PDB file of all heavy atoms in Angstrom:
ATOM      1  N   MET A   1       3.685  -0.074 -14.403  1.00  0.00           N
ATOM      2  CA  MET A   1       5.139  -0.077 -14.203  1.00  0.00           C
ATOM      3  C   MET A   1       5.532  -1.079 -13.122  1.00  0.00           C
ATOM      4  O   MET A   1       6.550  -1.781 -13.248  1.00  0.00           O
ATOM      5  CB  MET A   1       5.616   1.324 -13.841  1.00  0.00           C
ATOM      6  CG  MET A   1       5.447   2.350 -14.951  1.00  0.00           C
ATOM      7  SD  MET A   1       6.476   2.038 -16.417  1.00  0.00           S
ATOM      8  CE  MET A   1       8.045   2.707 -15.845  1.00  0.00           C
ATOM      9  N   ALA A   2       4.745  -1.171 -12.059  1.00  0.00           N
ATOM     10  CA  ALA A   2       5.041  -2.144 -10.996  1.00  0.00           C
ATOM     11  C   ALA A   2       4.936  -3.564 -11.526  1.00  0.00           C
ATOM     12  O   ALA A   2       5.754  -4.429 -11.173  1.00  0.00           O
ATOM     13  CB  ALA A   2       4.069  -1.937  -9.835  1.00  0.00           C
ATOM     14  N   ALA A   3       3.946  -3.823 -12.387  1.00  0.00           N
ATOM     15  CA  ALA A   3       3.790  -5.159 -12.967  1.00  0.00           C
ATOM     16  C   ALA A   3       4.943  -5.489 -13.906  1.00  0.00           C
ATOM     17  O   ALA A   3       5.446  -6.615 -13.919  1.00  0.00           O
ATOM     18  CB  ALA A   3       2.460  -5.250 -13.709  1.00  0.00           C
ATOM     19  N   LEU A   4       5.384  -4.505 -14.669  1.00  0.00           N
ATOM     20  CA  LEU A   4       6.525  -4.718 -15.563  1.00  0.00           C
ATOM     21  C   LEU A   4       7.794  -5.008 -14.774  1.00  0.00           C
ATOM     22  O   LEU A   4       8.622  -5.835 -15.180  1.00  0.00           O
ATOM     23  CB  LEU A   4       6.728  -3.493 -16.466  1.00  0.00           C
ATOM     24  CG  LEU A   4       5.708  -3.317 -17.594  1.00  0.00           C
ATOM     25  CD1 LEU A   4       5.887  -1.962 -18.265  1.00  0.00           C
ATOM     26  CD2 LEU A   4       5.847  -4.439 -18.618  1.00  0.00           C
ATOM     27  N   GLU A   5       7.951  -4.343 -13.649  1.00  0.00           N
ATOM     28  CA  GLU A   5       9.122  -4.605 -12.813  1.00  0.00           C
ATOM     29  C   GLU A   5       9.095  -6.047 -12.296  1.00  0.00           C
ATOM     30  O   GLU A   5      10.128  -6.718 -12.244  1.00  0.00           O
ATOM     31  CB  GLU A   5       9.167  -3.631 -11.650  1.00  0.00           C
ATOM     32  CG  GLU A   5      10.410  -3.781 -10.780  1.00  0.00           C
ATOM     33  CD  GLU A   5      10.534  -2.694  -9.737  1.00  0.00           C
ATOM     34  OE1 GLU A   5       9.522  -2.027  -9.448  1.00  0.00           O
ATOM     35  OE2 GLU A   5      11.644  -2.513  -9.201  1.00  0.00           O
ATOM     36  N   ARG A   6       7.915  -6.532 -11.952  1.00  0.00           N
ATOM     37  CA  ARG A   6       7.789  -7.896 -11.437  1.00  0.00           C
ATOM     38  C   ARG A   6       8.217  -8.945 -12.460  1.00  0.00           C
ATOM     39  O   ARG A   6       8.755  -9.982 -12.088  1.00  0.00           O
ATOM     40  CB  ARG A   6       6.343  -8.165 -11.018  1.00  0.00           C
ATOM     41  CG  ARG A   6       5.996  -7.649  -9.646  1.00  0.00           C
ATOM     42  CD  ARG A   6       4.671  -8.185  -9.188  1.00  0.00           C
ATOM     43  NE  ARG A   6       4.501  -8.043  -7.759  1.00  0.00           N
ATOM     44  CZ  ARG A   6       3.500  -8.548  -7.068  1.00  0.00           C
ATOM     45  NH1 ARG A   6       2.552  -9.250  -7.682  1.00  0.00           N
ATOM     46  NH2 ARG A   6       3.423  -8.382  -5.768  1.00  0.00           N
ATOM     47  N   VAL A   7       7.938  -8.669 -13.732  1.00  0.00           N
ATOM     48  CA  VAL A   7       8.273  -9.663 -14.753  1.00  0.00           C
ATOM     49  C   VAL A   7       9.605  -9.351 -15.436  1.00  0.00           C
ATOM     50  O   VAL A   7       9.980  -9.997 -16.407  1.00  0.00           O
ATOM     51  CB  VAL A   7       7.151  -9.777 -15.809  1.00  0.00           C
ATOM     52  CG1 VAL A   7       5.848 -10.207 -15.160  1.00  0.00           C
ATOM     53  CG2 VAL A   7       6.968  -8.477 -16.590  1.00  0.00           C
ATOM     54  N   GLY A   8      10.323  -8.353 -14.925  1.00  0.00           N
ATOM     55  CA  GLY A   8      11.650  -8.044 -15.444  1.00  0.00           C
ATOM     56  C   GLY A   8      11.671  -7.291 -16.752  1.00  0.00           C
ATOM     57  O   GLY A   8      12.633  -7.402 -17.520  1.00  0.00           O
ATOM     58  N   LEU A   9      10.638  -6.479 -17.021  1.00  0.00           N
ATOM     59  CA  LEU A   9      10.580  -5.732 -18.282  1.00  0.00           C
ATOM     60  C   LEU A   9      10.560  -4.221 -18.079  1.00  0.00           C
ATOM     61  O   LEU A   9      10.256  -3.479 -19.011  1.00  0.00           O
ATOM     62  CB  LEU A   9       9.338  -6.129 -19.084  1.00  0.00           C
ATOM     63  CG  LEU A   9       9.349  -7.478 -19.794  1.00  0.00           C
ATOM     64  CD1 LEU A   9       8.053  -7.651 -20.577  1.00  0.00           C
ATOM     65  CD2 LEU A   9      10.537  -7.606 -20.726  1.00  0.00           C
ATOM     66  N   LEU A  10      10.875  -3.768 -16.887  1.00  0.00           N
ATOM     67  CA  LEU A  10      10.797  -2.338 -16.605  1.00  0.00           C
ATOM     68  C   LEU A  10      11.672  -1.533 -17.557  1.00  0.00           C
ATOM     69  O   LEU A  10      11.288  -0.437 -17.987  1.00  0.00           O
ATOM     70  CB  LEU A  10      11.210  -2.067 -15.156  1.00  0.00           C
ATOM     71  CG  LEU A  10      10.982  -0.645 -14.634  1.00  0.00           C
ATOM     72  CD1 LEU A  10       9.501  -0.269 -14.723  1.00  0.00           C
ATOM     73  CD2 LEU A  10      11.472  -0.528 -13.203  1.00  0.00           C
ATOM     74  N   GLN A  11      12.820  -2.078 -17.936  1.00  0.00           N
ATOM     75  CA  GLN A  11      13.745  -1.356 -18.811  1.00  0.00           C
ATOM     76  C   GLN A  11      13.201  -1.214 -20.231  1.00  0.00           C
ATOM     77  O   GLN A  11      13.715  -0.398 -21.018  1.00  0.00           O
ATOM     78  CB  GLN A  11      15.115  -2.053 -18.839  1.00  0.00           C
ATOM     79  CG  GLN A  11      15.176  -3.336 -19.654  1.00  0.00           C
ATOM     80  CD  GLN A  11      14.603  -4.544 -18.929  1.00  0.00           C
ATOM     81  OE1 GLN A  11      14.043  -4.424 -17.849  1.00  0.00           O
ATOM     82  NE2 GLN A  11      14.755  -5.717 -19.522  1.00  0.00           N
ATOM     83  N   LEU A  12      12.164  -1.978 -20.569  1.00  0.00           N
ATOM     84  CA  LEU A  12      11.580  -1.909 -21.908  1.00  0.00           C
ATOM     85  C   LEU A  12      10.222  -1.209 -21.903  1.00  0.00           C
ATOM     86  O   LEU A  12       9.466  -1.299 -22.876  1.00  0.00           O
ATOM     87  CB  LEU A  12      11.418  -3.321 -22.487  1.00  0.00           C
ATOM     88  CG  LEU A  12      12.703  -4.090 -22.779  1.00  0.00           C
ATOM     89  CD1 LEU A  12      12.374  -5.493 -23.271  1.00  0.00           C
ATOM     90  CD2 LEU A  12      13.553  -3.354 -23.810  1.00  0.00           C
ATOM     91  N   ALA A  13       9.917  -0.486 -20.848  1.00  0.00           N
ATOM     92  CA  ALA A  13       8.601   0.142 -20.715  1.00  0.00           C
ATOM     93  C   ALA A  13       8.278   1.079 -21.876  1.00  0.00           C
ATOM     94  O   ALA A  13       7.118   1.183 -22.299  1.00  0.00           O
ATOM     95  CB  ALA A  13       8.508   0.900 -19.393  1.00  0.00           C
ATOM     96  N   LYS A  14       9.283   1.749 -22.422  1.00  0.00           N
ATOM     97  CA  LYS A  14       9.040   2.710 -23.500  1.00  0.00           C
ATOM     98  C   LYS A  14       9.216   2.104 -24.889  1.00  0.00           C
ATOM     99  O   LYS A  14       8.959   2.773 -25.897  1.00  0.00           O
ATOM    100  CB  LYS A  14       9.979   3.913 -23.339  1.00  0.00           C
ATOM    101  CG  LYS A  14       9.719   4.729 -22.078  1.00  0.00           C
ATOM    102  CD  LYS A  14      10.647   5.925 -22.007  1.00  0.00           C
ATOM    103  CE  LYS A  14      10.391   6.745 -20.739  1.00  0.00           C
ATOM    104  NZ  LYS A  14      11.322   7.910 -20.653  1.00  0.00           N
ATOM    105  N   ALA A  15       9.656   0.853 -24.959  1.00  0.00           N
ATOM    106  CA  ALA A  15       9.829   0.193 -26.258  1.00  0.00           C
ATOM    107  C   ALA A  15       8.473  -0.116 -26.884  1.00  0.00           C
ATOM    108  O   ALA A  15       7.449  -0.156 -26.205  1.00  0.00           O
ATOM    109  CB  ALA A  15      10.633  -1.094 -26.077  1.00  0.00           C
ATOM    110  N   ARG A  16       8.463  -0.343 -28.190  1.00  0.00           N
ATOM    111  CA  ARG A  16       7.217  -0.696 -28.856  1.00  0.00           C
ATOM    112  C   ARG A  16       6.862  -2.149 -28.548  1.00  0.00           C
ATOM    113  O   ARG A  16       7.671  -3.059 -28.754  1.00  0.00           O
ATOM    114  CB  ARG A  16       7.329  -0.504 -30.366  1.00  0.00           C
ATOM    115  CG  ARG A  16       7.307   0.953 -30.795  1.00  0.00           C
ATOM    116  CD  ARG A  16       7.046   1.096 -32.287  1.00  0.00           C
ATOM    117  NE  ARG A  16       6.969   2.487 -32.679  1.00  0.00           N
ATOM    118  CZ  ARG A  16       5.871   3.216 -32.601  1.00  0.00           C
ATOM    119  NH1 ARG A  16       4.767   2.675 -32.122  1.00  0.00           N
ATOM    120  NH2 ARG A  16       5.869   4.479 -32.984  1.00  0.00           N
ATOM    121  N   GLY A  17       5.641  -2.359 -28.084  1.00  0.00           N
ATOM    122  CA  GLY A  17       5.222  -3.705 -27.718  1.00  0.00           C
ATOM    123  C   GLY A  17       5.233  -4.672 -28.874  1.00  0.00           C
ATOM    124  O   GLY A  17       5.507  -5.868 -28.702  1.00  0.00           O
ATOM    125  N   SER A  18       4.960  -4.191 -30.076  1.00  0.00           N
ATOM    126  CA  SER A  18       4.891  -5.063 -31.245  1.00  0.00           C
ATOM    127  C   SER A  18       6.257  -5.512 -31.729  1.00  0.00           C
ATOM    128  O   SER A  18       6.358  -6.348 -32.634  1.00  0.00           O
ATOM    129  CB  SER A  18       4.155  -4.358 -32.381  1.00  0.00           C
ATOM    130  OG  SER A  18       4.807  -3.141 -32.715  1.00  0.00           O
ATOM    131  N   ARG A  19       7.335  -4.971 -31.154  1.00  0.00           N
ATOM    132  CA  ARG A  19       8.683  -5.317 -31.594  1.00  0.00           C
ATOM    133  C   ARG A  19       9.439  -6.170 -30.573  1.00  0.00           C
ATOM    134  O   ARG A  19      10.642  -6.383 -30.703  1.00  0.00           O
ATOM    135  CB  ARG A  19       9.474  -4.044 -31.900  1.00  0.00           C
ATOM    136  CG  ARG A  19       8.869  -3.239 -33.032  1.00  0.00           C
ATOM    137  CD  ARG A  19       9.670  -1.999 -33.362  1.00  0.00           C
ATOM    138  NE  ARG A  19       9.018  -1.201 -34.401  1.00  0.00           N
ATOM    139  CZ  ARG A  19       9.475  -0.039 -34.856  1.00  0.00           C
ATOM    140  NH1 ARG A  19      10.596   0.472 -34.339  1.00  0.00           N
ATOM    141  NH2 ARG A  19       8.816   0.607 -35.791  1.00  0.00           N
ATOM    142  N   LEU A  20       8.739  -6.656 -29.580  1.00  0.00           N
ATOM    143  CA  LEU A  20       9.372  -7.505 -28.581  1.00  0.00           C
ATOM    144  C   LEU A  20       9.583  -8.913 -29.132  1.00  0.00           C
ATOM    145  O   LEU A  20       8.924  -9.332 -30.083  1.00  0.00           O
ATOM    146  CB  LEU A  20       8.492  -7.582 -27.327  1.00  0.00           C
ATOM    147  CG  LEU A  20       8.217  -6.290 -26.573  1.00  0.00           C
ATOM    148  CD1 LEU A  20       7.324  -6.583 -25.373  1.00  0.00           C
ATOM    149  CD2 LEU A  20       9.507  -5.617 -26.132  1.00  0.00           C
ATOM    150  N   SER A  21      10.480  -9.643 -28.500  1.00  0.00           N
ATOM    151  CA  SER A  21      10.657 -11.051 -28.849  1.00  0.00           C
ATOM    152  C   SER A  21       9.460 -11.841 -28.327  1.00  0.00           C
ATOM    153  O   SER A  21       8.622 -11.327 -27.577  1.00  0.00           O
ATOM    154  CB  SER A  21      11.940 -11.589 -28.217  1.00  0.00           C
ATOM    155  OG  SER A  21      11.804 -11.646 -26.798  1.00  0.00           O
ATOM    156  N   GLY A  22       9.381 -13.110 -28.712  1.00  0.00           N
ATOM    157  CA  GLY A  22       8.271 -13.940 -28.258  1.00  0.00           C
ATOM    158  C   GLY A  22       8.200 -14.060 -26.747  1.00  0.00           C
ATOM    159  O   GLY A  22       7.127 -13.928 -26.146  1.00  0.00           O
ATOM    160  N   GLY A  23       9.354 -14.276 -26.120  1.00  0.00           N
ATOM    161  CA  GLY A  23       9.391 -14.396 -24.671  1.00  0.00           C
ATOM    162  C   GLY A  23       9.048 -13.097 -23.974  1.00  0.00           C
ATOM    163  O   GLY A  23       8.358 -13.080 -22.950  1.00  0.00           O
ATOM    164  N   GLU A  24       9.521 -11.974 -24.530  1.00  0.00           N
ATOM    165  CA  GLU A  24       9.210 -10.666 -23.949  1.00  0.00           C
ATOM    166  C   GLU A  24       7.724 -10.342 -24.093  1.00  0.00           C
ATOM    167  O   GLU A  24       7.112  -9.768 -23.195  1.00  0.00           O
ATOM    168  CB  GLU A  24      10.061  -9.592 -24.622  1.00  0.00           C
ATOM    169  CG  GLU A  24      11.531  -9.662 -24.247  1.00  0.00           C
ATOM    170  CD  GLU A  24      12.411  -8.808 -25.143  1.00  0.00           C
ATOM    171  OE1 GLU A  24      11.945  -8.399 -26.231  1.00  0.00           O
ATOM    172  OE2 GLU A  24      13.569  -8.553 -24.776  1.00  0.00           O
ATOM    173  N   THR A  25       7.144 -10.739 -25.226  1.00  0.00           N
ATOM    174  CA  THR A  25       5.713 -10.509 -25.424  1.00  0.00           C
ATOM    175  C   THR A  25       4.894 -11.288 -24.407  1.00  0.00           C
ATOM    176  O   THR A  25       3.896 -10.786 -23.868  1.00  0.00           O
ATOM    177  CB  THR A  25       5.293 -10.912 -26.849  1.00  0.00           C
ATOM    178  OG1 THR A  25       6.029 -10.152 -27.808  1.00  0.00           O
ATOM    179  CG2 THR A  25       3.801 -10.672 -27.067  1.00  0.00           C
ATOM    180  N   GLN A  26       5.317 -12.515 -24.112  1.00  0.00           N
ATOM    181  CA  GLN A  26       4.620 -13.299 -23.096  1.00  0.00           C
ATOM    182  C   GLN A  26       4.704 -12.625 -21.733  1.00  0.00           C
ATOM    183  O   GLN A  26       3.708 -12.560 -20.995  1.00  0.00           O
ATOM    184  CB  GLN A  26       5.210 -14.713 -23.012  1.00  0.00           C
ATOM    185  CG  GLN A  26       4.730 -15.640 -24.110  1.00  0.00           C
ATOM    186  CD  GLN A  26       5.135 -17.071 -23.852  1.00  0.00           C
ATOM    187  OE1 GLN A  26       6.276 -17.356 -23.491  1.00  0.00           O
ATOM    188  NE2 GLN A  26       4.197 -17.980 -24.052  1.00  0.00           N
ATOM    189  N   ARG A  27       5.874 -12.106 -21.391  1.00  0.00           N
ATOM    190  CA  ARG A  27       6.014 -11.437 -20.091  1.00  0.00           C
ATOM    191  C   ARG A  27       5.222 -10.140 -20.046  1.00  0.00           C
ATOM    192  O   ARG A  27       4.661  -9.785 -19.002  1.00  0.00           O
ATOM    193  CB  ARG A  27       7.488 -11.187 -19.783  1.00  0.00           C
ATOM    194  CG  ARG A  27       8.206 -12.426 -19.267  1.00  0.00           C
ATOM    195  CD  ARG A  27       9.567 -12.070 -18.718  1.00  0.00           C
ATOM    196  NE  ARG A  27      10.520 -11.802 -19.783  1.00  0.00           N
ATOM    197  CZ  ARG A  27      11.662 -11.137 -19.625  1.00  0.00           C
ATOM    198  NH1 ARG A  27      11.965 -10.617 -18.430  1.00  0.00           N
ATOM    199  NH2 ARG A  27      12.480 -10.940 -20.635  1.00  0.00           N
ATOM    200  N   MET A  28       5.136  -9.432 -21.164  1.00  0.00           N
ATOM    201  CA  MET A  28       4.314  -8.228 -21.215  1.00  0.00           C
ATOM    202  C   MET A  28       2.844  -8.586 -20.995  1.00  0.00           C
ATOM    203  O   MET A  28       2.117  -7.895 -20.268  1.00  0.00           O
ATOM    204  CB  MET A  28       4.479  -7.516 -22.555  1.00  0.00           C
ATOM    205  CG  MET A  28       3.649  -6.244 -22.681  1.00  0.00           C
ATOM    206  SD  MET A  28       3.853  -5.421 -24.286  1.00  0.00           S
ATOM    207  CE  MET A  28       3.004  -6.607 -25.363  1.00  0.00           C
ATOM    208  N   ALA A  29       2.401  -9.671 -21.624  1.00  0.00           N
ATOM    209  CA  ALA A  29       1.014 -10.111 -21.454  1.00  0.00           C
ATOM    210  C   ALA A  29       0.752 -10.537 -20.015  1.00  0.00           C
ATOM    211  O   ALA A  29      -0.334 -10.284 -19.470  1.00  0.00           O
ATOM    212  CB  ALA A  29       0.715 -11.259 -22.410  1.00  0.00           C
ATOM    213  N   LEU A  30       1.740 -11.168 -19.401  1.00  0.00           N
ATOM    214  CA  LEU A  30       1.599 -11.550 -18.006  1.00  0.00           C
ATOM    215  C   LEU A  30       1.491 -10.314 -17.117  1.00  0.00           C
ATOM    216  O   LEU A  30       0.671 -10.262 -16.191  1.00  0.00           O
ATOM    217  CB  LEU A  30       2.779 -12.418 -17.571  1.00  0.00           C
ATOM    218  CG  LEU A  30       2.770 -12.891 -16.112  1.00  0.00           C
ATOM    219  CD1 LEU A  30       1.511 -13.680 -15.803  1.00  0.00           C
ATOM    220  CD2 LEU A  30       4.018 -13.741 -15.834  1.00  0.00           C
ATOM    221  N   ALA A  31       2.315  -9.309 -17.407  1.00  0.00           N
ATOM    222  CA  ALA A  31       2.236  -8.056 -16.652  1.00  0.00           C
ATOM    223  C   ALA A  31       0.851  -7.436 -16.793  1.00  0.00           C
ATOM    224  O   ALA A  31       0.301  -6.890 -15.833  1.00  0.00           O
ATOM    225  CB  ALA A  31       3.306  -7.078 -17.142  1.00  0.00           C
ATOM    226  N   ARG A  32       0.272  -7.523 -17.991  1.00  0.00           N
ATOM    227  CA  ARG A  32      -1.068  -6.979 -18.222  1.00  0.00           C
ATOM    228  C   ARG A  32      -2.100  -7.663 -17.324  1.00  0.00           C
ATOM    229  O   ARG A  32      -3.045  -7.039 -16.853  1.00  0.00           O
ATOM    230  CB  ARG A  32      -1.424  -7.156 -19.697  1.00  0.00           C
ATOM    231  CG  ARG A  32      -2.687  -6.429 -20.145  1.00  0.00           C
ATOM    232  CD  ARG A  32      -2.668  -6.199 -21.642  1.00  0.00           C
ATOM    233  NE  ARG A  32      -2.324  -7.394 -22.379  1.00  0.00           N
ATOM    234  CZ  ARG A  32      -1.598  -7.404 -23.509  1.00  0.00           C
ATOM    235  NH1 ARG A  32      -1.134  -6.286 -24.005  1.00  0.00           N
ATOM    236  NH2 ARG A  32      -1.332  -8.532 -24.132  1.00  0.00           N
ATOM    237  N   LEU A  33      -1.920  -8.951 -17.076  1.00  0.00           N
ATOM    238  CA  LEU A  33      -2.838  -9.691 -16.209  1.00  0.00           C
ATOM    239  C   LEU A  33      -2.641  -9.348 -14.737  1.00  0.00           C
ATOM    240  O   LEU A  33      -3.595  -9.121 -14.006  1.00  0.00           O
ATOM    241  CB  LEU A  33      -2.654 -11.199 -16.406  1.00  0.00           C
ATOM    242  CG  LEU A  33      -3.209 -11.831 -17.671  1.00  0.00           C
ATOM    243  CD1 LEU A  33      -2.999 -13.341 -17.620  1.00  0.00           C
ATOM    244  CD2 LEU A  33      -4.680 -11.525 -17.850  1.00  0.00           C
ATOM    245  N   ILE A  34      -1.382  -9.334 -14.294  1.00  0.00           N
ATOM    246  CA  ILE A  34      -1.137  -9.170 -12.859  1.00  0.00           C
ATOM    247  C   ILE A  34      -1.147  -7.712 -12.417  1.00  0.00           C
ATOM    248  O   ILE A  34      -0.989  -7.420 -11.241  1.00  0.00           O
ATOM    249  CB  ILE A  34       0.186  -9.838 -12.434  1.00  0.00           C
ATOM    250  CG1 ILE A  34       1.399  -9.143 -13.061  1.00  0.00           C
ATOM    251  CG2 ILE A  34       0.175 -11.325 -12.781  1.00  0.00           C
ATOM    252  CD1 ILE A  34       2.731  -9.650 -12.550  1.00  0.00           C
ATOM    253  N   ALA A  35      -1.345  -6.794 -13.363  1.00  0.00           N
ATOM    254  CA  ALA A  35      -1.441  -5.374 -12.998  1.00  0.00           C
ATOM    255  C   ALA A  35      -2.761  -5.071 -12.300  1.00  0.00           C
ATOM    256  O   ALA A  35      -2.914  -4.008 -11.699  1.00  0.00           O
ATOM    257  CB  ALA A  35      -1.290  -4.503 -14.236  1.00  0.00           C
ATOM    258  N   LYS A  36      -3.726  -5.987 -12.395  1.00  0.00           N
ATOM    259  CA  LYS A  36      -5.014  -5.782 -11.728  1.00  0.00           C
ATOM    260  C   LYS A  36      -5.412  -7.072 -11.020  1.00  0.00           C
ATOM    261  O   LYS A  36      -4.847  -8.137 -11.265  1.00  0.00           O
ATOM    262  CB  LYS A  36      -6.086  -5.364 -12.730  1.00  0.00           C
ATOM    263  CG  LYS A  36      -6.374  -6.399 -13.795  1.00  0.00           C
ATOM    264  CD  LYS A  36      -7.379  -5.892 -14.828  1.00  0.00           C
ATOM    265  CE  LYS A  36      -8.742  -5.617 -14.242  1.00  0.00           C
ATOM    266  NZ  LYS A  36      -9.740  -5.244 -15.275  1.00  0.00           N
ATOM    267  N   SER A  37      -6.394  -6.978 -10.165  1.00  0.00           N
ATOM    268  CA  SER A  37      -6.808  -8.135  -9.375  1.00  0.00           C
ATOM    269  C   SER A  37      -7.817  -8.981 -10.143  1.00  0.00           C
ATOM    270  O   SER A  37      -8.779  -8.459 -10.716  1.00  0.00           O
ATOM    271  CB  SER A  37      -7.429  -7.659  -8.054  1.00  0.00           C
ATOM    272  OG  SER A  37      -7.842  -8.762  -7.280  1.00  0.00           O
ATOM    273  N   HIS A  38      -7.580 -10.287 -10.177  1.00  0.00           N
ATOM    274  CA  HIS A  38      -8.501 -11.252 -10.759  1.00  0.00           C
ATOM    275  C   HIS A  38      -8.793 -12.333  -9.724  1.00  0.00           C
ATOM    276  O   HIS A  38      -7.948 -12.638  -8.882  1.00  0.00           O
ATOM    277  CB  HIS A  38      -7.910 -11.927 -11.998  1.00  0.00           C
ATOM    278  CG  HIS A  38      -7.662 -11.006 -13.146  1.00  0.00           C
ATOM    279  ND1 HIS A  38      -6.473 -10.323 -13.309  1.00  0.00           N
ATOM    280  CD2 HIS A  38      -8.440 -10.660 -14.195  1.00  0.00           C
ATOM    281  CE1 HIS A  38      -6.539  -9.599 -14.408  1.00  0.00           C
ATOM    282  NE2 HIS A  38      -7.725  -9.792 -14.973  1.00  0.00           N
ATOM    283  N   LYS A  39      -9.946 -12.933  -9.835  1.00  0.00           N
ATOM    284  CA  LYS A  39     -10.259 -14.068  -8.975  1.00  0.00           C
ATOM    285  C   LYS A  39      -9.747 -15.378  -9.559  1.00  0.00           C
ATOM    286  O   LYS A  39      -9.610 -16.375  -8.850  1.00  0.00           O
ATOM    287  CB  LYS A  39     -11.767 -14.155  -8.730  1.00  0.00           C
ATOM    288  CG  LYS A  39     -12.307 -13.084  -7.803  1.00  0.00           C
ATOM    289  CD  LYS A  39     -13.749 -13.351  -7.431  1.00  0.00           C
ATOM    290  CE  LYS A  39     -14.262 -12.320  -6.436  1.00  0.00           C
ATOM    291  NZ  LYS A  39     -15.681 -12.592  -6.055  1.00  0.00           N
ATOM    292  N   ALA A  40      -9.472 -15.380 -10.863  1.00  0.00           N
ATOM    293  CA  ALA A  40      -8.919 -16.572 -11.510  1.00  0.00           C
ATOM    294  C   ALA A  40      -8.051 -16.142 -12.684  1.00  0.00           C
ATOM    295  O   ALA A  40      -8.367 -15.177 -13.386  1.00  0.00           O
ATOM    296  CB  ALA A  40     -10.030 -17.498 -11.996  1.00  0.00           C
ATOM    297  N   LEU A  41      -6.949 -16.853 -12.874  1.00  0.00           N
ATOM    298  CA  LEU A  41      -6.069 -16.639 -14.017  1.00  0.00           C
ATOM    299  C   LEU A  41      -5.966 -17.927 -14.810  1.00  0.00           C
ATOM    300  O   LEU A  41      -5.732 -19.002 -14.242  1.00  0.00           O
ATOM    301  CB  LEU A  41      -4.670 -16.211 -13.571  1.00  0.00           C
ATOM    302  CG  LEU A  41      -4.442 -14.800 -13.046  1.00  0.00           C
ATOM    303  CD1 LEU A  41      -2.945 -14.576 -12.830  1.00  0.00           C
ATOM    304  CD2 LEU A  41      -5.001 -13.750 -13.990  1.00  0.00           C
TER     305      LEU A  41
END
């Protein structure tokens, strides 16, 4: 939820991921990455 808030998708947290627009899907994927710590992106 914190990652979704960062990318501006918190309001769509309960929506179906497969029904997002192309841009929203990219932001969801970005949230998936930044929700955890990586040494490289």
Side-chain angles (χ1 to χ4, degrees):
M1 294 294 280
L4 286 171
E5 184 173 18
R6 278 192 163 187
V7 299
L9 285 182
L10 189 59
Q11 75 281 6
L12 294 177
K14 295 182 180 179
R16 286 195 178 275
S18 58
R19 298 182 183 178
L20 298 180
S21 68
E24 289 167 344
T25 301
Q26 281 190 315
R27 281 191 285 161
M28 180 180 70
L30 180 58
R32 190 158 48 215
L33 285 184
I34 66 173
K36 62 184 296 185
S37 180
H38 295 89
K39 287 189 177 181
L41 286 187

